[in-house]
Amino acid sequence: MMWLPAPWIWGILLLGTGSLCQEVIDQCDPSPCQNGGRCKSLVGSYRCHCLTQSHDGILHGGVNCDVRLVGCEGHECGTHGSCSPFLLDGTHGYTCSCTAGYTGPLCQTPTTFSFERRGYLLHQSPQVDADVSWNITLSFMTVLPRALLFQRNNGGLLLSLKLQGGRLRLTLRREAPAGADVESSSSQVLELPHNVTDGEWHSVEAVLEKWMLSLKRLDAGSCGSQSCHRVASVQSNLAREVVPPQNTFIGGVLQESNGPDEHYPVPAFIGCMRDVFVDSQLVVPEEWLSNSAVNVSPGCSHRDHCLDVPCQHGGQCVNLWQSYHCQCPRPYEGHDCEKEHVTARFGNEDSHSYAAFTVADDMGHNLSISLFLRTRKTSGLLLVLANSSSQYLHMWLEDGKVTVQVNNFESVKAESALDDGEVHFVSVEVAEDHMTLYVSAQKQGDVDVRTVTVHAGDTVHVGGLVDRRTTAGFGGYFKGCIQDLRMNDNRLQFFGLDTSVRTYPLKLIGNVTAGCSGDNICSRNPCLHGGMCYSVWDDFTCNCPPSTAGRRCEEVRWCELSPCPTGSECMTLNQGYECYANATFLNNSTVLSYRGNGLISRNLTNISLNLRTRKHNAAILHAEKASAFITLSVQDGFLSIELQSFSLDDSVAERTQAVSTVSLSSRRRVSDGEWHSVQLFMAAPWMHTSQWTLVLDEEIEEASTSRSRGGNIDFLRDGVDIFLGGLDPDAGWSLAGCLGTVELGGIALPYFSSSDVNLPRLQEEQFIRTSPRPPLLGCSGASVCEPNPCLNGGDCRDHFNTYNCSCADGWTSRHCDVFANVCASSPCVHGNCSVSGVSYKCTCEFGYTGVDCEREVDRCENHLCAHGGTCLHGPDRYACLCPENYTGTFCNERIEEIPWYIAVRKV
Ligand SMILES: *[C@@H]1O[C@H](CO)[C@@H](O)[C@H](O)[C@H]1NC(C)=O
Ligand SMILES: *[C@@H]1O[C@H](CO)[C@@H](O)[C@H](O)[C@H]1NC(C)=O
Ligand SMILES: *[C@@H]1O[C@H](CO)[C@@H](O)[C@H](O)[C@H]1NC(C)=O
Ligand SMILES: *[C@@H]1O[C@H](CO)[C@@H](O)[C@H](O)[C@H]1NC(C)=O
Ligand SMILES: *[C@@H]1O[C@H](CO)[C@@H](O)[C@H](O)[C@H]1NC(C)=O
Ligand SMILES: *[C@@H]1O[C@H](CO)[C@@H](O)[C@H](O)[C@H]1NC(C)=O
Ligand SMILES: *[C@@H]1O[C@H](CO)[C@@H](O)[C@H](O)[C@H]1NC(C)=O
Ligand SMILES: *[C@@H]1O[C@H](CO)[C@@H](O)[C@H](O)[C@H]1NC(C)=O
């Protein structure tokens, strides 16, 4: 690079040759220096400063920089040095300037070394005069933010350079003599503000000279300003003469050299150093295994062990230069987070489990309890802290939520339930007088509390107490799993991980097992109806067979299994199913009889049925027990109910059992051969007695209500024969007609016996048919339409033992055998009627058409208006409305002269 002098330098030089110093002769004008050399004028002489660098690598020397320097030809500075040639007394030679980390005349000696665990170098300075003049420079590379770089100890005066929080910190202190007041020790500190623990090389110089303390970073480039240099004059109480010898520890100290009042001993340096100078003397350990070099090795071999990803289970790796450290997430522990705390299973197969630990040290007022929790139970005692006189902290599950109470008073309950069988991390923090509860790091609530103090010797109960009753007061014994339980940083291990992890001593343990396998609920097969049981942790699911549903396959969709005989309808009940059908009762049919199965417990307060008959007098349903009876019948064509029952009469103050009678009839006849629905019910079924209501054919809204009040028909529940289709087998009055399935209080009187249906009936409350002969199913009277009684193409309609003929046109009478005069009804609207065979014929008036001459003839149909002319309906003809430029009757004449002529003419 060319050296160009700054203009102001020339300015001073010009001034020098000016009028002030006339006698000075400038020896540099003109400059005798060649090859870019800089001339310096001396009295009567000059000196050339030759360039030390040049573009082409050719340097010059000699008095006038005119001799080419050849000393570096064939130099031996090697790869770690650069050669500088010189010319001295006419002889060419060279020197080697070494790159950082190397020394020696030919830069072949490395000065770099690395420190391993608790390594150090001890440098003993030769005994010199007592004048304190210390100078230590060194370069270092590390990633650890806290370490000792060097320490020089001399007769009570201690100079040390440390890394603290990644920063350089130089401390000068005078140790108090042994036994003296600690106060008499004093110190002075210089600190540089930068973080230098970034794994790069940094150089630093620490000097104590003439009672001035100085700390300076020597890093080129990054460190030019004052921020890299601190100077202070030493406090007078430190500035006292010291005596040799001077020992300098580099990187660490011998353990016993650590001063007695070193409260926070700084760990030894781990990393690399190079170019370490103590009082300008380069420190290169000759003997790497000598006493003065412990755990120090030549070179700087560093590998970031974290690149190997040594920490398992998501542990955070910290590079420790020669090694690494894993910060393990819970519940993992160990050097590489390879160990997992053993989960403790409580309440396996519903046993009662508990454990207890002894607190080993006082905890002060701040307490933290944390654990992993897994359960499906909504309640259970988790943890109790107790001293000899009382239990002062309880932690339990309530509604699936963690609840903590201290001093049997202040408590906090979690917001979210965790009884879902998943693992949850729960922690409670008691700090001074405030308690906070967290689940999975989410705050659940907090409360102000009175101080909680945990002392050594207190007991931690987990999962329950030995005493069953106290445990029951907090939801009983816990069932589930607990893992990695900690109080502050102390582990409470149910099953030892290994000796490296310290735990509070286990006092007692009962029915707690290692691991977290759930109960084998499927071994008891909770699934019904052949469902397949699958275990999930502490729970099960059922894979239900077709037509079943519910958590345990307890719901059967019976009707999907087609249990009913053909011709009947299946109805699913809450429990089981029933087959509904219509039955035909003939004059000579046996009366059906029924009895309750003895398990009917509901109150019978209504009857419903569908009926079809032509008989004017017939019994439908009848039963009697002592003086109570019920009769449903058709009397003179009307539906009639007679009910006499016992009941506790609400209206009578002394509530005696009374006999009440209810009579009701329909307002319309039912003996018309049509289907009628009948609903009969107590108006107030919750009462002992009430009016009864009869609703005939719901859609017609015909209802009649009894005047008197009657009790319910519970006497039909058991021990009484209920007859259907007649009073009793011999009393006559038998029904001729059809009945749908009758229901008493919603329970059917089934037409099918248990041998008629394909699956057992499971409903508890049943009426059983006691008469042996099955009824005639379906609803069929005599086959009145077969053969067809309607003549001349008439349609026969079956009206249950009677029929109607719907006759073809022209025919009339019951059997369509009378021919009617088809023209009597004047079917022709605008024409004359004439009989034609069995039908008629219309002769239309002019202008009308259609079979009955009901339609006017459309005159515009097939009109002849040309060129888009519009057809207009006239009274007896039509006319054409012509478009522009056309005229004529049918718009077929073109208008040439009169453009806007429109013609409307009669055709
Ligand atoms: C210092 O810097 C390094 C590298 O940037 C960083 O990893 C480390 O955390 C820093 N240390 C401190 C104490 O700031
Ligand atoms: C300290 O020593 C180094 C290395 O010998 C030297 O370069 C430096 O100039 C010295 N500093 C002082 C202030 O004496
Ligand atoms: C284990 O649980 C069973 C069942 O609850 C109980 O009877 C037994 O006493 C318990 N064992 C211990 C050591 O507590
Ligand atoms: C206790 O916790 C409080 C709040 O977190 C804190 O300010 C205090 O320093 C802690 N005390 C101790 C002894 O750790
Ligand atoms: C009984 O007859 C009625 C009227 O015809 C009909 O709607 C109903 O489906 C029949 N019931 C059964 C079970 O066949
Ligand atoms: C009842 O009468 C019908 C027709 O009148 C007849 O077909 C049937 O066999 C009779 N049944 C009995 C049991 O007498
Ligand atoms: C049945 O009726 C009686 C009164 O007769 C009443 O006290 C009772 O509560 C009723 N039971 C039900 C289930 O409705
Ligand atoms: C009618 O005739 C006139 C004259 O020839 C012509 O200009 C006009 O476009 C015609 N109009 C139509 C609708 O054709």
mmCIF file with all atom_site columns, all heavy atoms in Angstrom, residues 135-137 205 207 209 277 279-281, ligand 2:
data_model
loop_
_atom_site.group_PDB
_atom_site.id
_atom_site.type_symbol
_atom_site.label_atom_id
_atom_site.label_alt_id
_atom_site.label_comp_id
_atom_site.label_asym_id
_atom_site.label_entity_id
_atom_site.label_seq_id
_atom_site.pdbx_PDB_ins_code
_atom_site.Cartn_x
_atom_site.Cartn_y
_atom_site.Cartn_z
_atom_site.occupancy
_atom_site.B_iso_or_equiv
_atom_site.pdbx_formal_charge
_atom_site.auth_seq_id
_atom_site.auth_comp_id
_atom_site.auth_asym_id
_atom_site.auth_atom_id
_atom_site.pdbx_PDB_model_num
ATOM   1  N N   . ASN A 1 135 ? 1.709  -7.918  34.979 1.00 0.00 ? 135 ASN A N   1
ATOM   2  C CA  . ASN A 1 135 ? 1.124  -7.782  33.637 1.00 0.00 ? 135 ASN A CA  1
ATOM   3  C C   . ASN A 1 135 ? 0.818  -9.180  33.117 1.00 0.00 ? 135 ASN A C   1
ATOM   4  O O   . ASN A 1 135 ? 1.712  -9.977  32.907 1.00 0.00 ? 135 ASN A O   1
ATOM   5  C CB  . ASN A 1 135 ? 2.127  -7.056  32.723 1.00 0.00 ? 135 ASN A CB  1
ATOM   6  C CG  . ASN A 1 135 ? 1.650  -6.995  31.277 1.00 0.00 ? 135 ASN A CG  1
ATOM   7  O OD1 . ASN A 1 135 ? 0.619  -7.586  30.922 1.00 0.00 ? 135 ASN A OD1 1
ATOM   8  N ND2 . ASN A 1 135 ? 2.402  -6.295  30.438 1.00 0.00 ? 135 ASN A ND2 1
ATOM   9  N N   . ILE A 1 136 ? -0.434 -9.473  32.959 1.00 0.00 ? 136 ILE A N   1
ATOM   10 C CA  . ILE A 1 136 ? -0.827 -10.791 32.440 1.00 0.00 ? 136 ILE A CA  1
ATOM   11 C C   . ILE A 1 136 ? -1.692 -10.556 31.212 1.00 0.00 ? 136 ILE A C   1
ATOM   12 O O   . ILE A 1 136 ? -2.705 -9.844  31.289 1.00 0.00 ? 136 ILE A O   1
ATOM   13 C CB  . ILE A 1 136 ? -1.585 -11.604 33.507 1.00 0.00 ? 136 ILE A CB  1
ATOM   14 C CG1 . ILE A 1 136 ? -0.630 -11.887 34.676 1.00 0.00 ? 136 ILE A CG1 1
ATOM   15 C CG2 . ILE A 1 136 ? -2.127 -12.904 32.914 1.00 0.00 ? 136 ILE A CG2 1
ATOM   16 C CD1 . ILE A 1 136 ? -1.298 -12.385 35.910 1.00 0.00 ? 136 ILE A CD1 1
ATOM   17 N N   . THR A 1 137 ? -1.297 -11.100 30.084 1.00 0.00 ? 137 THR A N   1
ATOM   18 C CA  . THR A 1 137 ? -2.156 -11.043 28.892 1.00 0.00 ? 137 THR A CA  1
ATOM   19 C C   . THR A 1 137 ? -2.403 -12.473 28.436 1.00 0.00 ? 137 THR A C   1
ATOM   20 O O   . THR A 1 137 ? -1.544 -13.338 28.591 1.00 0.00 ? 137 THR A O   1
ATOM   21 C CB  . THR A 1 137 ? -1.517 -10.250 27.726 1.00 0.00 ? 137 THR A CB  1
ATOM   22 O OG1 . THR A 1 137 ? -0.423 -10.987 27.237 1.00 0.00 ? 137 THR A OG1 1
ATOM   23 C CG2 . THR A 1 137 ? -1.064 -8.882  28.157 1.00 0.00 ? 137 THR A CG2 1
ATOM   24 N N   . GLU A 1 205 ? -5.852 -8.057  28.548 1.00 0.00 ? 205 GLU A N   1
ATOM   25 C CA  . GLU A 1 205 ? -4.619 -7.696  29.266 1.00 0.00 ? 205 GLU A CA  1
ATOM   26 C C   . GLU A 1 205 ? -5.018 -7.144  30.625 1.00 0.00 ? 205 GLU A C   1
ATOM   27 O O   . GLU A 1 205 ? -5.879 -6.261  30.710 1.00 0.00 ? 205 GLU A O   1
ATOM   28 C CB  . GLU A 1 205 ? -3.859 -6.631  28.470 1.00 0.00 ? 205 GLU A CB  1
ATOM   29 C CG  . GLU A 1 205 ? -2.615 -6.118  29.155 1.00 0.00 ? 205 GLU A CG  1
ATOM   30 C CD  . GLU A 1 205 ? -2.141 -4.808  28.528 1.00 0.00 ? 205 GLU A CD  1
ATOM   31 O OE1 . GLU A 1 205 ? -2.701 -3.748  28.886 1.00 0.00 ? 205 GLU A OE1 1
ATOM   32 O OE2 . GLU A 1 205 ? -1.251 -4.839  27.673 1.00 0.00 ? 205 GLU A OE2 1
ATOM   33 N N   . VAL A 1 207 ? -3.293 -5.476  34.040 1.00 0.00 ? 207 VAL A N   1
ATOM   34 C CA  . VAL A 1 207 ? -2.016 -4.899  34.499 1.00 0.00 ? 207 VAL A CA  1
ATOM   35 C C   . VAL A 1 207 ? -2.218 -4.229  35.858 1.00 0.00 ? 207 VAL A C   1
ATOM   36 O O   . VAL A 1 207 ? -3.220 -3.526  36.070 1.00 0.00 ? 207 VAL A O   1
ATOM   37 C CB  . VAL A 1 207 ? -1.496 -3.856  33.473 1.00 0.00 ? 207 VAL A CB  1
ATOM   38 C CG1 . VAL A 1 207 ? -0.258 -3.157  34.006 1.00 0.00 ? 207 VAL A CG1 1
ATOM   39 C CG2 . VAL A 1 207 ? -1.202 -4.516  32.134 1.00 0.00 ? 207 VAL A CG2 1
ATOM   40 N N   . GLU A 1 209 ? 0.239  -1.816  37.962 1.00 0.00 ? 209 GLU A N   1
ATOM   41 C CA  . GLU A 1 209 ? 1.557  -1.188  37.900 1.00 0.00 ? 209 GLU A CA  1
ATOM   42 C C   . GLU A 1 209 ? 1.462  0.180   38.542 1.00 0.00 ? 209 GLU A C   1
ATOM   43 O O   . GLU A 1 209 ? 0.538  0.944   38.265 1.00 0.00 ? 209 GLU A O   1
ATOM   44 C CB  . GLU A 1 209 ? 1.994  -1.057  36.443 1.00 0.00 ? 209 GLU A CB  1
ATOM   45 C CG  . GLU A 1 209 ? 3.454  -0.717  36.296 1.00 0.00 ? 209 GLU A CG  1
ATOM   46 C CD  . GLU A 1 209 ? 3.931  -0.949  34.879 1.00 0.00 ? 209 GLU A CD  1
ATOM   47 O OE1 . GLU A 1 209 ? 3.124  -0.783  33.946 1.00 0.00 ? 209 GLU A OE1 1
ATOM   48 O OE2 . GLU A 1 209 ? 5.109  -1.319  34.696 1.00 0.00 ? 209 GLU A OE2 1
ATOM   49 N N   . PHE A 1 277 ? 0.811  -14.604 28.521 1.00 0.00 ? 277 PHE A N   1
ATOM   50 C CA  . PHE A 1 277 ? 2.058  -13.963 28.983 1.00 0.00 ? 277 PHE A CA  1
ATOM   51 C C   . PHE A 1 277 ? 1.868  -13.563 30.428 1.00 0.00 ? 277 PHE A C   1
ATOM   52 O O   . PHE A 1 277 ? 0.898  -12.897 30.766 1.00 0.00 ? 277 PHE A O   1
ATOM   53 C CB  . PHE A 1 277 ? 2.383  -12.708 28.169 1.00 0.00 ? 277 PHE A CB  1
ATOM   54 C CG  . PHE A 1 277 ? 2.787  -12.992 26.751 1.00 0.00 ? 277 PHE A CG  1
ATOM   55 C CD1 . PHE A 1 277 ? 1.840  -13.103 25.744 1.00 0.00 ? 277 PHE A CD1 1
ATOM   56 C CD2 . PHE A 1 277 ? 4.134  -13.147 26.420 1.00 0.00 ? 277 PHE A CD2 1
ATOM   57 C CE1 . PHE A 1 277 ? 2.218  -13.351 24.438 1.00 0.00 ? 277 PHE A CE1 1
ATOM   58 C CE2 . PHE A 1 277 ? 4.512  -13.397 25.107 1.00 0.00 ? 277 PHE A CE2 1
ATOM   59 C CZ  . PHE A 1 277 ? 3.575  -13.505 24.116 1.00 0.00 ? 277 PHE A CZ  1
ATOM   60 N N   . ASP A 1 279 ? 3.821  -11.398 33.047 1.00 0.00 ? 279 ASP A N   1
ATOM   61 C CA  . ASP A 1 279 ? 4.916  -10.426 33.132 1.00 0.00 ? 279 ASP A CA  1
ATOM   62 C C   . ASP A 1 279 ? 5.804  -10.553 31.892 1.00 0.00 ? 279 ASP A C   1
ATOM   63 O O   . ASP A 1 279 ? 7.025  -10.741 31.994 1.00 0.00 ? 279 ASP A O   1
ATOM   64 C CB  . ASP A 1 279 ? 5.720  -10.631 34.411 1.00 0.00 ? 279 ASP A CB  1
ATOM   65 C CG  . ASP A 1 279 ? 4.838  -10.432 35.632 1.00 0.00 ? 279 ASP A CG  1
ATOM   66 O OD1 . ASP A 1 279 ? 3.844  -9.673  35.511 1.00 0.00 ? 279 ASP A OD1 1
ATOM   67 O OD2 . ASP A 1 279 ? 5.098  -11.061 36.671 1.00 0.00 ? 279 ASP A OD2 1
ATOM   68 N N   . SER A 1 280 ? 5.166  -10.498 30.758 1.00 0.00 ? 280 SER A N   1
ATOM   69 C CA  . SER A 1 280 ? 5.822  -10.548 29.452 1.00 0.00 ? 280 SER A CA  1
ATOM   70 C C   . SER A 1 280 ? 6.542  -11.854 29.173 1.00 0.00 ? 280 SER A C   1
ATOM   71 O O   . SER A 1 280 ? 7.281  -11.960 28.205 1.00 0.00 ? 280 SER A O   1
ATOM   72 C CB  . SER A 1 280 ? 6.817  -9.375  29.278 1.00 0.00 ? 280 SER A CB  1
ATOM   73 O OG  . SER A 1 280 ? 6.105  -8.173  29.322 1.00 0.00 ? 280 SER A OG  1
ATOM   74 N N   . GLN A 1 281 ? 6.317  -12.833 30.020 1.00 0.00 ? 281 GLN A N   1
ATOM   75 C CA  . GLN A 1 281 ? 6.967  -14.124 29.772 1.00 0.00 ? 281 GLN A CA  1
ATOM   76 C C   . GLN A 1 281 ? 5.922  -15.079 29.237 1.00 0.00 ? 281 GLN A C   1
ATOM   77 O O   . GLN A 1 281 ? 4.853  -15.271 29.836 1.00 0.00 ? 281 GLN A O   1
ATOM   78 C CB  . GLN A 1 281 ? 7.550  -14.661 31.083 1.00 0.00 ? 281 GLN A CB  1
ATOM   79 C CG  . GLN A 1 281 ? 8.442  -15.863 30.844 1.00 0.00 ? 281 GLN A CG  1
ATOM   80 C CD  . GLN A 1 281 ? 8.870  -16.490 32.150 1.00 0.00 ? 281 GLN A CD  1
ATOM   81 O OE1 . GLN A 1 281 ? 8.787  -15.854 33.214 1.00 0.00 ? 281 GLN A OE1 1
ATOM   82 N NE2 . GLN A 1 281 ? 9.287  -17.730 32.085 1.00 0.00 ? 281 GLN A NE2 1
HETATM 83 C C1  . LIG B 2 .   ? 2.047  -6.413  29.078 1.00 0.00 ? 2   LIG B C1  1
HETATM 84 O O1  . LIG B 2 .   ? 2.675  -7.516  28.470 1.00 0.00 ? 2   LIG B O1  1
HETATM 85 C C2  . LIG B 2 .   ? 2.438  -7.657  27.060 1.00 0.00 ? 2   LIG B C2  1
HETATM 86 C C3  . LIG B 2 .   ? 3.104  -8.933  26.614 1.00 0.00 ? 2   LIG B C3  1
HETATM 87 O O2  . LIG B 2 .   ? 4.419  -8.994  27.043 1.00 0.00 ? 2   LIG B O2  1
HETATM 88 C C4  . LIG B 2 .   ? 2.990  -6.445  26.366 1.00 0.00 ? 2   LIG B C4  1
HETATM 89 O O3  . LIG B 2 .   ? 2.757  -6.559  24.973 1.00 0.00 ? 2   LIG B O3  1
HETATM 90 C C5  . LIG B 2 .   ? 2.313  -5.217  26.919 1.00 0.00 ? 2   LIG B C5  1
HETATM 91 O O4  . LIG B 2 .   ? 2.840  -4.072  26.313 1.00 0.00 ? 2   LIG B O4  1
HETATM 92 C C6  . LIG B 2 .   ? 2.462  -5.128  28.408 1.00 0.00 ? 2   LIG B C6  1
HETATM 93 N N1  . LIG B 2 .   ? 1.596  -4.054  28.858 1.00 0.00 ? 2   LIG B N1  1
HETATM 94 C C7  . LIG B 2 .   ? 2.001  -3.160  29.729 1.00 0.00 ? 2   LIG B C7  1
HETATM 95 C C8  . LIG B 2 .   ? 1.057  -2.088  30.099 1.00 0.00 ? 2   LIG B C8  1
HETATM 96 O O5  . LIG B 2 .   ? 3.166  -3.201  30.202 1.00 0.00 ? 2   LIG B O5  1
#
